[in-house]
Amino acid sequence: MRSHHDIDKEADRHYRKAIKFYEALARRAAAAGHAVDVFSGCLDQVGLAEMKSMVNWTGGNMVLTDSFVTAIFKQSFQRVLDKDEAGDLQMGFNATLEVQTTKELKVCGMIGPGVSAAKKSAMVSDTEIGVGGTTAWRLPAVTARTTVGVFFEVANQQSQALQPGSRGLVQFSTTYQHARGDYRMRVTTIARSWAEGASPDIPASFDQEAAAVLMARIAVFKAEAEEVGDVLRWLDRMLIRLCQKFGDYRRDDPASFRLGPSFSIYPQFMYHLRRSQFLQVFNSSPDETAFYRHCLFREDTTNSLTMIQPSLMSYGFEGAPAPVLLDSVSMKPDVILMLDTFFHILIWHGETIAEWRKAGYHEQPEYENLKLLLEAPVVDTQSLLVERMPVPRYIVCDQNGSQARFLVSKLNPSTSYSSTNQYGGGEAVLTDDVNVSTFLSALSGLAVKNAS
């Protein structure tokens, strides 16, 4: 089957024709209000990369599994057909999302599970981000989990000064057909005060988690049509510009660079986004990449952040379970780690814990504490497996085992064959990737050097 290299070199002569064919079908399906779900159960590729528009443009579900007999397929399929207490499917159909704004704002576009409704107005911006050129979009199927990103720009002329205390208004109007047949409308209106460019209110109100997810959507959307290298350079430029505008530093002095609390973890999100499977496709098939990007385009901020920067919990004898750094220093022989990447739930046993388990110590009454330690992460993963759609892959592995690669690939390599970390301990990661510390140091240098 074709690889990303084949597609980039246009060695697969049927790929672009197939893309056009399925995009035409997707437009017809969306115009008719039909949603298309694709459930794939095969060890080989089935063409999801070609068919992705059928799902992404119609609000359907995409599930990629190794076989139709796996729990991932069975449970995900059942959740699509879940019903509420009244016996109705938990979804809406043939939805339309329309945006209205005050004159100071213009609509750049939307990135999410929908297509343009081709509604032109004076509120449409000349700058397109995602699906632009309209103020309304069709979403053939929506659920309580459906999330879209809508992008705006400030269009106020310099000659028209904003009045002190004035506000900009944005109204979202969503119309959809309920599963029982009746039509419903939900209207949400938000107001935000205007502020001058140098106002301290802007950094104080910055939501770095939401900003990271929106930037991820833009980057991945651009990666569908542009070279990944160009997208990475664009991400770097945007990050440097943000640091120059909101950072506190002295010109040409990287050691003086500081970011306020509202921006402190945003560079880390960008570091992990650059390394993520959304942009680094070397170890993924085209079908896997299409599946990963599909999920990012429709999930909320919390789940999207988990995809970008997975969460890591540590279980040990010294205290209660606690979140730890997504770092190689966290891999210790006497702890159990639980990694949540949204797509995978992984339980990792340190070398010492694994040896005790293999020796059967947890089955002996005098080692009750070891038994409880082994059971704790298993219990905590159950809520994630029950709530998430699609169902994540569940992995249990030991330190230095083959499947430990799912954990190691996500960690910040602060300890590698070519470097050590300031914390001490941890397992060395065999990689040439730079670590967070090196990335942030380079960012500081560029931000203060290029400052004007």
Side-chain angles (χ1 to χ4, degrees):
M1 293 292 286
R2 74 278 185 273
S3 64
H4 282 288
H5 180 75
D6 296 329
I7 294 172
D8 292 340
K9 299 299 181 181
E10 298 187 6
D12 185 349
R13 57 193 180 92
H14 299 295
Y15 177 77
R16 299 197 188 317
K17 293 180 181 178
I19 288 285
K20 293 181 180 179
F21 173 78
Y22 285 113
E23 285 182 351
L25 284 181
R27 292 189 186 94
R28 292 172 57 188
H34 299 320
V36 179
D37 297 329
V38 176
F39 290 79
S40 167
C42 183
L43 289 171
D44 208 339
Q45 299 184 71
V46 297
L48 279 181
E50 288 83 354
M51 294 186 286
K52 60 189 176 187
S53 59
M54 293 279 289
V55 184
N56 293 339
W57 295 5
T58 65
N61 295 284
M62 182 184 293
V63 177
L64 183 64
T65 67
D66 296 336
S67 169
F68 288 120
V69 299
T70 61
I72 296 177
F73 164 73
K74 294 178 181 178
Q75 296 177 23
S76 298
F77 188 77
Q78 290 172 349
R79 288 176 196 179
V80 172
L81 303 177
D82 278 348
K83 297 183 178 180
D84 58 19
E85 297 178 353
D88 299 318
L89 290 173
Q90 296 182 344
M91 62 179 71
F93 304 96
N94 206 16
T96 299
L97 171 64
E98 185 172 353
V99 177
Q100 303 283 342
T101 69
T102 47
K103 62 181 181 180
E104 301 89 358
L105 291 170
K106 288 188 180 293
V107 182
C108 295
M110 182 274 292
I111 299 180
V115 295
S116 172
K119 185 170 185 178
K120 306 289 185 179
S121 77
M123 294 178 289
V124 176
S125 170
D126 293 333
T127 303
E128 287 194 13
I129 299 178
V131 183
T134 180
T135 59
W137 300 268
R138 296 177 63 88
L139 289 73
V142 292
T143 69
R145 302 183 304 273
T146 302
T147 307
V148 301
V150 182
F151 301 85
F152 304 90
E153 72 171 353
V154 178
N156 189 59
Q157 300 296 324
Q158 294 293 333
S159 59
Q160 301 175 355
L162 294 169
Q163 297 298 321
S166 62
R167 292 191 166 194
L169 300 176
V170 178
Q171 185 178 81
F172 299 94
S173 176
T174 306
T175 306
Y176 66 96
Q177 185 178 16
H178 190 266
R180 67 183 58 173
D182 55 312
Y183 286 86
R184 302 182 180 184
M185 174 182 285
R186 175 178 294 177
V187 178
T188 303
T189 305
I190 59 175
R192 292 292 182 270
S193 299
W194 289 107
E196 296 296 334
S199 171
D201 294 336
I202 294 178
S205 60
F206 183 73
D207 187 336
Q208 53 193 332
E209 288 85 1
V213 172
L214 290 172
M215 287 296 289
R217 287 201 183 198
I218 297 175
V220 173
F221 189 90
K222 290 168 70 72
E224 294 285 347
E226 301 177 21
E227 294 288 340
V228 171
D230 294 337
V231 177
L232 292 176
R233 284 187 286 273
W234 173 82
L235 270 178
D236 293 341
R237 288 196 300 271
M238 295 298 102
L239 180 57
I240 293 170
R241 286 174 57 185
L242 179 137
C243 291
Q244 290 174 345
K245 185 172 182 62
F246 297 105
D248 182 17
Y249 54 88
R250 293 187 298 271
R251 179 76 180 271
D252 294 328
D253 184 5
S256 68
F257 181 81
R258 298 290 186 275
L259 281 174
S262 299
F263 300 89
S264 58
I265 59 176
Y266 181 80
Q268 294 183 39
F269 290 141
M270 294 298 101
Y271 168 80
H272 288 287
L273 174 62
R274 295 176 90 264
R275 298 182 70 216
S276 70
Q277 67 270 33
F278 303 114
L279 298 178
Q280 302 294 340
V281 299
F282 173 74
N283 200 35
S284 300
S285 69
D287 283 8
E288 288 173 327
T289 299
F291 169 66
Y292 294 142
R293 291 176 175 176
H294 161 82
C295 293
L296 180 69
F297 285 155
R298 62 180 294 141
E299 290 298 330
D300 60 20
T301 300
T302 301
N303 286 338
S304 296
L305 282 178
T306 302
M307 300 180 203
I308 297 169
Q309 181 174 323
S311 62
L312 190 64
M313 294 286 294
S314 179
Y315 300 76
F317 294 112
E318 297 180 355
V324 292
L325 293 172
L326 188 67
D327 194 293
S328 57
V329 71
S330 299
M331 292 194 297
K332 300 176 181 178
D334 58 346
V335 301
I336 299 175
L337 299 177
M338 184 183 74
L339 176 75
D340 179 12
T341 71
F342 184 84
F343 305 104
H344 303 93
I345 303 293
L346 181 140
I347 296 177
W348 177 92
H349 295 145
E351 189 173 10
T352 302
I353 299 292
E355 290 176 355
W356 289 345
R357 188 198 71 239
K358 293 174 183 177
Y361 289 159
H362 61 291
E363 298 173 354
Q364 302 177 22
E366 60 267 32
Y367 294 103
E368 181 71 15
N369 59 340
L370 177 60
K371 179 181 178 181
L372 294 176
L373 180 64
L374 291 170
E375 291 175 350
V378 177
V379 173
D380 291 346
T381 61
Q382 296 309 306
S383 60
L384 298 174
L385 293 171
V386 168
E387 298 172 357
R388 192 159 294 169
M389 171 66 193
V391 176
R393 181 178 175 183
Y394 183 64
I395 302 170
V396 179
C397 66
D398 296 335
Q399 186 173 6
N400 302 319
S402 62
Q403 298 209 79
R405 67 186 186 277
F406 289 100
L407 170 64
V408 175
S409 65
K410 295 297 181 182
L411 298 179
N412 167 42
S414 62
T415 54
S416 69
Y417 69 91
S418 60
S419 65
T420 58
N421 69 83
Q422 67 269 36
Y423 307 109
E427 179 182 324
V429 177
L430 301 178
T431 180
D432 289 325
D433 289 351
V434 299
N435 54 42
V436 171
S437 179
T438 303
F439 177 79
L440 295 180
S441 296
L443 174 62
S444 301
L446 290 169
V448 301
K449 180 180 178 181
N450 294 334
S452 57

